Amino acid sequence: HYKMDKPILPFFSMISARYEVMRDIWVSAEGDSVDLEIYYHKGHEYNLDRMMRSMKKSFDYFSTHYSPYQYDQMRIMEFPRYSSFAQSFANTVPFSEGIGFNLKIEEDDVDMAYYVTAHELAHQWWAHQVTEARVQGNAMLSETMSQYSALMVMKQEYSPEMMQKFLKHELDRYLRGRRSETLQERPLDLVEGQGYIHYRKGSVIMYAFQDYISEDSVNAALKRFIADYAYQENPYVTSNMLVNYFREVTPDSLQYIIDDMFENITLFENKAKTVNFKKVSDDKFELNLTYEAKKLRADSLGNTSEIEMQDWVDIGVFGKPTDGEKDRLIYLQKHKITAGETTIQILLDEEPVKAGIDPINKLIDRNPDDNVKSANEMVDS
Ligand SMILES: [Zn+2]
């Protein structure tokens, strides 16, 4: 006979092994302490510090921006790589050795142990506080919001290049996933158990969404949503309820991105065509960028049609690499972009190396690799 002190989903796990335990304590802003434990197989100590650090950083972020954590403890338990997943139960996360404990993480790698830990802890809010109805779009509330939460925790710790590497990987997986869809692709708000949408597209969309309307605005909507619907049973929440909260924090000029990102399948074909520059004085460079832009809508069977484009899209210029930064942006600004070919001129304080449209792949672009091109110096003859 087992009784919890707080209501939980009828969803639990039983795990048994000869474990070592790493223990720590996380203290909330209100001064409540939560026992943190990682149960691991002796010898698998490699990434425990990363996971423990991620637990603390995740709780800091989620309890500040969403709502207080609801239990007195949080436990991660290792299991063998018969399967490669982790899953979030109330205050308990079974976690495969293959995606955390035994993973070799090099300096240039995305820290999977850190990311998976943050994602699973986010489910303590997105599933265990706000519980979604079992209808189309349910995984946008649980999985996409956990992806967003993990991304925001990672963003505080890792360089923009590392975030870009992660998001590029997510974009590639979404594009691959939709190519091999055998039934029907759904917009994010009507996703039906399609991981390439609720995880992969979800990451790209939510990262872009907070870039457009600000992280604070997204979090303000999420905080209100949790305050209004945590532990609500009848009716359970649906994705369109959350989309309405997003609409409330989005300015009129950007309401179109909600149609594009959440309610439709929107694709771009943006491309840098020519990038030329000339030195106009000792410390001024004039850059001429010609780009091509196209916006498309896809139906559930993948048929696309071009739609009007009046969109705010990043134009970016990279400078010479310095020690720490390989891809160093010296200019990044949103321009109002229309479809077709356009040439723009940008005056820079230093020599450009490459430039393009949507240079760090915030949008769902069917060919993300042609967005940036090397810059040629034009010499007057
Ligand atoms: Zn998940």
Side-chain angles (χ1 to χ4, degrees), residues 250-313:
T250 302
D252 290 347
S253 61
L254 289 172
Q255 288 286 329
Y256 76 89
I257 65 174
I258 294 189
D259 310 354
D260 286 350
M261 293 176 171
F262 299 104
E263 298 176 340
N264 288 283
I265 303 163
T266 308
L267 303 159
F268 291 87
E269 282 177 11
N270 297 328
K271 181 180 181 173
K273 295 205 78 177
T274 54
V275 183
N276 297 320
F277 74 93
K278 64 180 180 216
K279 193 169 182 170
V280 289
S281 72
D282 272 354
D283 57 354
K284 291 282 175 225
F285 298 83
E286 188 186 281
L287 178 99
N288 281 287
L289 162 68
T290 303
Y291 60 79
E292 213 172 72
K294 195 180 198 180
K295 183 175 177 179
L296 306 138
R297 280 276 160 83
D299 67 15
S300 60
L301 299 176
N303 304 307
T304 54
S305 48
E306 192 174 349
I307 60 166
E308 201 205 345
M309 186 168 180
Q310 285 281 345
D311 289 35
W312 293 101
V313 180

Side-chain angles (χ1 to χ4, degrees), residues 119 123 143 199:
H119 174 102
H123 277 305
E143 298 304 345
Y199 293 120

Side-chain angles (χ1 to χ4, degrees), residues 202-265:
S203 294
V204 179
I205 292 289
M206 287 307 297
Y207 200 82
F209 187 47
Q210 61 86 32
D211 181 75
Y212 275 85
I213 73 161
S214 88
E215 184 179 345
D216 285 347
S217 296
V218 174
N219 289 342
L222 295 176
K223 191 172 213 157
R224 276 180 223 156
F225 190 73
I226 288 186
D228 291 349
Y229 296 114
Y231 306 108
Q232 175 165 308
E233 288 180 32
N234 196 13
Y236 288 94
V237 295
T238 57
S239 57
N240 63 339
M241 293 160 79
L242 179 59
V243 169
N244 288 337
Y245 279 66
F246 286 161
R247 286 208 180 273
E248 280 173 16
V249 293
T250 302
D252 290 347
S253 61
L254 289 172
Q255 288 286 329
Y256 76 89
I257 65 174
I258 294 189
D259 310 354
D260 286 350
M261 293 176 171
F262 299 104
E263 298 176 340
N264 288 283
I265 303 163

